Amino acid sequence: MLRYSLIFGGIIGVLVIALMTVTLFVLGPDAGGTTEALGYATMLAILSLLFVGIKRYRDVEQGGVISFKTGAAMGTGIAVIAAIIYAISWEVVLVATDFAFIESYSQSMIAAIKAEGLAAAEEATKIAEIKDNMEMYRNPFFRIPVTFIEIFPVGLVVALISAFILKNPKVLPARGAE
């Protein structure tokens, strides 16, 4: 089970961070909601490999039959590995870019708030909140768990849905099986 978690979790983690990094650098931090929506859509599409990992384990190691509990455990393992690789990879991206993302993202958020035309007190409060959040984000003990949580809950949901579907051996049976 660990082997499948490492293989499929590794593939998912690398693909997600690679595509999200490319998206971030192509669209830039100013794209804001577009980048986030595209990032989560990409993440969800790649996390569909969880289904493939559970199915492969069911077909190859379990003789074409898997319980919900075993499928959920396999999927959760894959999601954990993917999230760990994603979080570590994001740290590498931040270091490689000298943490420029933190500054440019906070500046784009501040510019968006200023463009809203809020009352001065409300604008100052929101800008102070962004600055506080970005300062917390500079701390790796805050940032790494936040990065992990970006992907893991989505992966867990996909894992549970996949395990539920694949517990039925008639769903996409292994070749040669009926």
Side-chain angles (χ1 to χ4, degrees):
M1 195 181 288
L2 178 61
R3 181 173 160 253
Y4 283 83
S5 294
L6 290 171
I7 290 169
F8 284 92
I11 292 168
I12 291 168
V14 168
L15 286 176
V16 169
I17 196 66
L19 289 175
M20 290 182 76
T21 301
V22 167
T23 302
L24 180 66
F25 287 116
V26 169
L27 296 178
D30 296 333
T34 304
T35 305
E36 289 176 19
L38 188 58
Y40 274 102
T42 300
M43 185 185 300
L44 187 58
I46 294 170
L47 282 167
S48 66
L49 288 173
L50 271 160
F51 183 91
V52 175
I54 297 169
K55 182 186 179 319
R56 178 108 174 121
Y57 182 76
R58 177 192 77 175
D59 295 346
V60 174
E61 304 294 333
Q62 300 287 302
V65 178
I66 195 166
S67 68
F68 173 77
K69 181 179 174 184
T70 303
M74 170 58 64
T76 301
I78 293 170
V80 166
I81 298 299
I84 289 169
I85 289 174
Y86 174 74
I88 291 169
S89 299
W90 182 243
E91 288 299 303
V92 170
V93 168
L94 288 176
V95 169
T97 60
D98 198 28
F99 296 88
F101 171 80
I102 296 171
E103 187 61 34
S104 59
Y105 186 67
S106 64
Q107 291 306 316
S108 70
M109 290 176 66
I110 289 170
I113 288 173
K114 288 181 177 181
E116 288 179 18
L118 302 171
E122 187 178 359
E123 182 179 286
T125 301
K126 285 188 171 190
I127 289 173
E129 186 178 306
I130 287 171
K131 287 181 178 180
D132 289 344
N133 288 340
M134 288 299 121
E135 193 57 41
M136 285 191 308
Y137 195 75
R138 291 182 192 282
N139 179 348
F141 294 109
F142 174 80
R143 182 179 59 248
I144 293 171
V146 166
T147 306
F148 183 90
I149 302 175
E150 286 177 11
I151 188 172
F152 179 72
V154 179
L156 184 60
V157 169
V158 172
L160 295 175
I161 292 169
S162 298
F164 180 76
I165 292 169
L166 290 169
K167 73 178 185 168
N168 182 348
K170 293 179 182 177
V171 172
L172 298 171
R175 289 188 177 155
E178 288 185 25

